Amino acid sequence: MSYPTKEEKLAALKVTEPSEYELGCVDLVKPGDYEIGVQRTNDMVDEGYEVFMRSSRSSMGVAGDSIVAIFNARGDLVNASAGTYLHAIIPPIVIKFILKRYSENPGINDGDVWYTNDALYGGIHNPDQCAIMPVFFDGDLVAWTAALSHTTETGAIEPGGMPLTATSRFEEGMNLPPMRVGQNFRINSDILEMFAAFGIRATDNVTVDMRARATTCDRVRVRLLEMFEREGKEFAIGLLRKMLIEAEEGARKRVSHWCDGVYRNVTFSDAAGLQPGLIRNCVMTMTKKGDHLAFDFTGTSPENPSSYNAHPQAVVGHMANYIYEYVFHDLPVSSATFQAVDFIFPENSMLSPDARAATSNSVMACTGVMSSVANCISRARFASDEWTQVAASQGNGGNAIVIAGISQWGANFADMIAYPINTEGQGARATSDGMDAYGFPWCGFGRAPDVESMENEFPLLLPFSSHWKDSGGAGKHRGGVGTAQLWVTHNVPMLFQMAIADNSSIQTPQPLFGGYSQPTVPGIVLDGVDVKELMAKAKAGAGSISFEGLLSGDFGGRVVTSQYGSQIHPVLDGQTVIVGLSTGGTGYGDPLDRDPAAVEVDVRKNLVSIGQAHSLYGVVVDPTSGRVDDGATTARRADLVEQRLARGVPYDEFEATWSTRRPDESIMQWFGSWPEGNVVNPVMRP
Amino acid sequence: MGTLHFAEYIDANLDTERWSCHECGQDLGDLRGNYKRGLLVAERDPREIHEPVLEGEYTFAPKSDWIRIIEFYCPRCGRQVETQYLPPGHPLTQDTELDVDAVKQRIAAGVVRINDDGKLEAAR
């Protein structure tokens, strides 16, 4: 075996040393020409991103859960358009692996298409697949292009590409190390057949998405060559290297403004796959010194025998989601911005598991990482002139609904519904609320498909989709609310469904500066009711179908609750597939500091209940007029402050009592030793 | 040297090397220590904050035997300075250890300065 080690993968994220020739080329790139050149690369990857979405077949590809990128000849990421920033971490590792291992045999040639989806070799998880093409000019390798997206079928033991019951990588379907899948600008037919065989549940998704990646790589390759022709080889090579130099300088300058120190965040989750249990899914210790950052994950729970593990570079990818979106948003998406960042991953933690580990749900394993990086950087950044960019964590629910079967058009399908995951609420910001139903924390620029498109594509009906009241974390600035949707089987006798989610028993994200997190997410099904009959009655004037009506039992039948995550199971025509719940974002600041007028607006818009306005915000809203009672609000808030001062005790006194407790042993099977989180029972994977 | 508006409700005085409440000025302790030690602490049942909407095991509220909400208040003005969601008995997180010497050194060296808003910015 020759898969790269953790150290090799992390080293590959660093920018290569420039050669004398490259530095000479850099000198040719003059101010003005440089900015125009940068914009040209922006245009190339933006065009590629559009081509990619329009060429893809699976829901995630169509939604834009993808990235299109340009690299220099050595494999350093120079610029990208996304989508989903976490993909940016993969190709530098893969290209440097190809250069090191395959330059002689089988060789790297003009017209090659290379491919991988294996997290062991640098990926995030195997649904995230990567096509790469070398760019040759005058016979020389001068650059690379890549296109990556999430395809929701891999031929695993369950449909959807993220099997919940996988206990090792051997149950996760297709895992391809970096390999050549095309030559002379054509994808090899035998390879395409292999993809079709792995993707037999959804052949079109798998093969069309694979072609879309290659098509996109080639479009950007052609545009790069046009620049080489027009501007000259030396200018283009100098431009790509200069972009790396400028990006690194920009990143270091930004970090240097933050306060030096050590920052920590700790998060928890409540399940490994479908097995409930308390997991400390991230202990992050961030040390900021000058223009350098170091992230240490010591203390994170051990690896577990589910697919909720992540290899180290996948963890870095999840940090990239936040860092490229919130911190380096005005710099190119570039390897160079991570040049001054180092990582420490303890062996055999769930964030650095054994090679045999299942990691297809690494995206769920990393929800705590996404929350922690937002929290640590926000704390370090608040005392700088960038404080307005500070934000509380996203909710990071990622509650994914997988459906499979034969569609109303007679076609096989296995997919993840893109709408619910793309309508989560944003974390509250330092100067404003989080956006309601803003999008997908993993994919800041993805888009929720139109309801009509989904109903046309899949045998589904969506009787309602609405903002989910009280789902935004309370705070001086409120977390954006998520959405609630009702999904019903339609036009086919049955389909199969499963749900990938945790956060039914506890929430993972930590809020910021005195706010609260979002609520937990129960799995809800309306049992004993044919929803289509219900809709027919509603159309005849017997009321409407709403989330609140469903919860209050207005529709008859039985509201059945469970954990949101569920095994694959059949759902008959007219029956509830699930009530989709897209989480809200976390809150920022003391809720008692929220402007009462803002709470009044929230209540009027049905985003916050009158009850929550009273209990958490201390705002008294008249249920008849919908207006704030100023006098009653002042009194209520004063009373809440008095309650705080009455129940609060000094830190040492609190800790003396608190530290004698621990959770019940029945939920501690995944945690590791208490409270260190060290390995207690090594995972055995035959 | 000046005072940093360090967090939403926390100031850091680099001259006296003391933490204080940004809202009321209450002293919160040594800048080289944990500012949370200067705050009042309370444990809340998560169902008081996230009220159950449904009956049964899964209700929209966190399970109270899995997680508790720890609230930190300014002892003078009662501001809720921080919150943490922690399993019962889990060590409280010291979220910040300010590197006082490094910050002072960079200010003294003229690399950064504290602006009128109490924020670090490039000195030149």
Side-chain angles (χ1 to χ4, degrees):
Chain A
M1 286 297 290
S2 60
Y3 55 83
T5 63
K6 172 180 68 177
E7 290 73 22
E8 286 173 325
K9 287 187 280 192
L10 294 175
L13 297 176
K14 302 289 188 186
V15 175
T16 57
E17 282 293 318
S19 65
E20 288 296 319
Y21 171 71
E22 280 180 291
L23 290 174
C25 294
V26 168
D27 290 339
L28 300 175
V29 183
K30 303 302 181 194
D33 294 337
Y34 171 72
E35 285 74 16
I36 292 169
V38 171
Q39 185 53 41
R40 283 191 172 137
T41 65
N42 287 340
D43 294 342
M44 291 175 202
V45 290
D46 284 347
E47 179 189 352
Y49 187 62
E50 279 298 315
V51 168
F52 202 7
M53 280 194 290
R54 291 163 193 259
S55 307
S56 294
R57 181 72 178 81
S58 63
S59 287
M60 303 289 272
V62 173
D65 187 340
S66 54
I67 201 167
V68 179
I70 294 170
F71 309 81
N72 66 8
R74 314 269 292 279
D76 304 314
L77 172 64
V78 174
N79 201 359
S81 184
T84 300
Y85 289 122
L86 63 78
H87 294 304
I89 299 304
I90 305 172
I93 300 171
V94 176
I95 294 172
K96 289 169 186 177
F97 180 87
I98 292 170
L99 286 165
K100 183 177 178 183
R101 305 289 177 88
Y102 299 149
S103 288
E104 295 298 322
N105 179 11
I108 300 167
N109 301 302
D110 199 10
D112 282 355
V113 181
W114 293 82
Y115 206 89
T116 187
N117 72 329
D118 193 335
L120 208 49
Y121 286 81
I124 302 295
H125 59 162
N126 61 337
D128 288 348
Q129 302 182 19
C130 169
I132 298 170
M133 287 189 76
V135 182
F136 282 84
F137 184 79
D138 284 347
D140 294 330
L141 177 65
V142 293
W144 296 78
T145 62
L148 300 92
S149 65
H150 181 119
T151 292
T152 41
E153 179 53 30
T154 57
I157 57 173
E158 290 150 358
M162 292 164 60
L164 284 167
T165 62
T167 58
S168 74
R169 66 184 262 113
F170 313 116
E171 297 167 304
E172 296 184 305
M174 187 176 80
N175 259 316
L176 302 178
M179 58 186 291
R180 192 166 59 188
V181 300
Q183 298 164 88
N184 300 316
F185 307 101
R186 289 175 68 92
I187 295 171
N188 297 340
S189 295
D190 54 341
I191 297 288
L192 204 55
E193 192 61 34
M194 182 188 73
F195 274 75
F198 271 111
I200 204 163
R201 292 193 188 104
T203 311
D204 286 352
N205 282 17
V206 175
T207 57
V208 173
D209 280 6
M210 191 260 202
R211 289 174 182 273
R213 293 183 186 93
T215 295
T216 304
C217 283
D218 194 55
R219 174 65 67 89
V220 181
R221 186 190 68 87
V222 168
R223 295 293 184 238
L224 265 175
L225 286 178
E226 289 172 356
M227 185 175 75
F228 273 77
E229 288 279 2
R230 188 172 51 240
E231 308 294 342
K233 181 178 174 182
E234 280 71 26
F235 174 88
I237 288 173
L239 174 68
L240 299 185
R241 178 55 73 171
K242 184 165 179 151
M243 287 177 68
L244 292 169
I245 295 169
E246 295 279 332
E248 181 180 345
E249 286 180 5
R252 286 184 184 275
K253 184 178 176 186
R254 175 148 299 160
V255 171
S256 72
H257 290 193
W258 306 348
C259 256
D260 301 277
V262 177
Y263 302 88
R264 295 187 189 84
N265 195 68
V266 182
T267 56
F268 306 88
S269 59
D270 58 19
L274 293 169
Q275 302 300 316
L278 183 68
I279 299 173
R280 191 160 61 195
N281 62 358
C282 183
V283 177
M284 179 180 285
T285 302
M286 182 186 93
T287 302
K288 186 271 170 187
K289 186 100 175 175
D291 61 5
H292 182 265
L293 296 173
F295 292 90
D296 185 345
F297 294 91
T298 300
T300 303
S301 282
E303 59 180 299
N304 59 67
S306 80
S307 53
Y308 279 43
N309 299 290
H311 289 299
Q313 80 284 349
V315 177
V316 179
H318 284 81
M319 295 171 69
N321 282 340
Y322 172 80
I323 287 175
Y324 286 131
E325 190 174 344
Y326 281 88
V327 182
F328 301 139
H329 54 88
D330 52 351
L331 297 173
V333 180
S334 164
S335 296
T337 50
F338 273 90
Q339 192 71 352
V341 185
D342 289 304
F343 303 93
I344 297 171
F345 291 97
E347 294 295 331
N348 299 113
S349 74
M350 62 181 291
L351 303 181
S352 185
D354 182 74
R356 299 182 182 204
T359 63
S360 49
N361 274 297
S362 66
V363 290
M364 304 304 290
C366 288
T367 55
V369 172
M370 290 167 65
S371 174
S372 294
V373 69
N375 256 302
C376 286
I377 290 184
S378 289
R379 291 184 191 282
R381 203 179 185 192
F382 187 85
S384 80
D385 53 358
E386 297 175 356
W387 71 276
T388 58
Q389 300 292 321
V390 165
S393 169
Q394 320 279 27
N396 301 332
N399 305 325
I401 303 169
V402 171
I403 51 172
I406 299 174
S407 77
Q408 66 270 41
W409 310 110
N412 291 339
F413 70 93
D415 214 328
M416 187 179 290
I417 312 176
Y419 184 91
I421 54 179
N422 278 286
T423 54
E424 291 192 15
Q426 185 190 29
R429 295 166 283 183
T431 57
S432 60
D433 294 341
M435 283 182 275
D436 300 319
Y438 100 103
F440 186 28
W442 284 256
C443 181
F445 295 95
R447 54 194 183 193
D450 292 338
V451 168
E452 290 77 11
S453 297
M454 288 183 299
E455 290 178 335
N456 182 61
E457 183 77 11
F458 300 114
L460 291 170
L461 203 58
L462 186 56
F464 68 72
S465 174
S466 59
H467 282 136
W468 170 12
K469 185 167 62 179
D470 291 341
S471 65
K476 174 182 179 181
H477 302 299
R478 175 179 54 76
V481 300
T483 65
Q485 324 98 36
L486 179 60
W487 300 91
V488 177
T489 306
H490 182 48
N491 273 334
V492 292
M494 59 156 278
L495 56 72
F496 288 101
Q497 183 257 338
M498 73 177 209
I500 302 164
D502 47 20
N503 279 217
S504 288
S505 297
I506 63 171
Q507 318 86 323
T508 288
Q510 297 284 2
L512 193 62
F513 298 154
Y516 293 112
S517 289
Q518 77 278 17
T520 50
V521 284
I524 303 172
V525 171
L526 189 57
D527 186 41
V529 173
D530 187 314
V531 180
K532 289 197 288 186
E533 289 179 8
L534 203 63
M535 290 181 71
K537 289 179 187 171
K539 192 175 180 183
S544 61
I545 298 176
S546 68
F547 183 42
E548 288 162 5
L550 184 150
L551 292 181
S552 60
D554 289 353
F555 305 155
R558 196 165 62 98
V559 175
V560 179
T561 61
S562 61
Q563 64 179 12
Y564 196 104
S566 63
Q567 288 184 320
I568 191 82
H569 62 279
V571 184
L572 303 180
D573 186 29
Q575 300 301 306
T576 306
V577 174
I578 193 170
V579 175
L581 292 170
S582 308
T583 56
T586 65
Y588 175 107
D590 186 345
L592 299 188
D593 277 344
R594 182 162 179 76
D595 182 355
V599 177
E600 180 181 304
V601 171
D602 286 345
V603 170
R604 193 184 312 140
K605 288 183 172 178
N606 209 31
L607 304 175
V608 170
S609 65
I610 286 181
Q612 191 174 89
H614 184 269
S615 64
L616 299 187
Y617 292 104
V619 174
V620 180
V621 178
D622 184 315
T624 306
S625 68
R627 303 301 299 271
V628 171
D629 182 330
D630 291 333
T633 295
T634 301
R636 169 68 180 159
R637 288 186 159 181
D639 180 49
L640 287 171
V641 169
E642 285 303 314
Q643 289 181 33
R644 288 175 178 177
L645 294 173
R647 68 173 165 257
V649 298
Y651 187 99
D652 289 342
E653 182 183 330
F654 179 86
E655 196 174 40
T657 309
W658 170 258
S659 61
T660 62
R661 297 160 58 187
R662 61 173 290 173
D664 191 87
E665 198 59 35
S666 64
I667 62 171
M668 297 299 282
Q669 64 269 36
W670 314 124
F671 189 90
S673 62
W674 176 267
E676 303 84 6
N678 294 332
V679 175
V680 175
N681 299 308
V683 180
M684 305 298 287
R685 298 185 182 90
Chain B
M1 202 160 248
T3 298
L4 285 166
H5 182 194
F6 184 80
E8 180 70 21
Y9 300 115
I10 300 288
D11 283 345
N13 188 318
L14 294 174
D15 300 310
T16 60
E17 295 199 0
R18 304 293 293 179
W19 296 112
S20 62
C21 174
H22 180 72
E23 300 298 323
C24 71
Q26 168 71 26
D27 182 82
L28 299 175
D30 184 351
L31 203 55
R32 295 174 189 269
N34 182 1
Y35 70 85
K36 283 180 176 170
R37 289 189 174 276
L39 299 170
L40 297 177
V41 191
E43 174 190 355
R44 305 289 302 276
D45 185 321
R47 292 170 296 189
E48 296 172 21
I49 309 302
H50 306 281
E51 291 183 16
V53 177
L54 299 165
E55 294 180 353
E57 186 178 358
Y58 298 98
T59 66
F60 292 102
K63 290 182 177 175
S64 59
D65 53 343
W66 287 53
I67 207 85
R68 312 295 289 182
I69 299 175
I70 310 301
E71 297 179 344
F72 298 87
Y73 314 126
C74 171
R76 181 188 291 172
C77 69
R79 279 281 178 325
Q80 186 162 288
V81 175
E82 284 290 341
T83 51
Q84 261 202 287
Y85 288 59
L86 292 176
H90 189 280
L92 304 176
T93 305
Q94 182 179 355
D95 54 54
T96 302
E97 289 177 41
L98 185 61
D99 189 339
V100 179
D101 295 330
V103 175
K104 283 185 170 182
Q105 192 176 24
R106 290 199 301 129
I107 292 173
V111 178
V112 291
R113 66 181 172 213
I114 301 176
N115 68 19
D116 293 343
D117 296 325
K119 304 296 185 185
L120 284 179
E121 65 179 16
R124 51 179 180 268

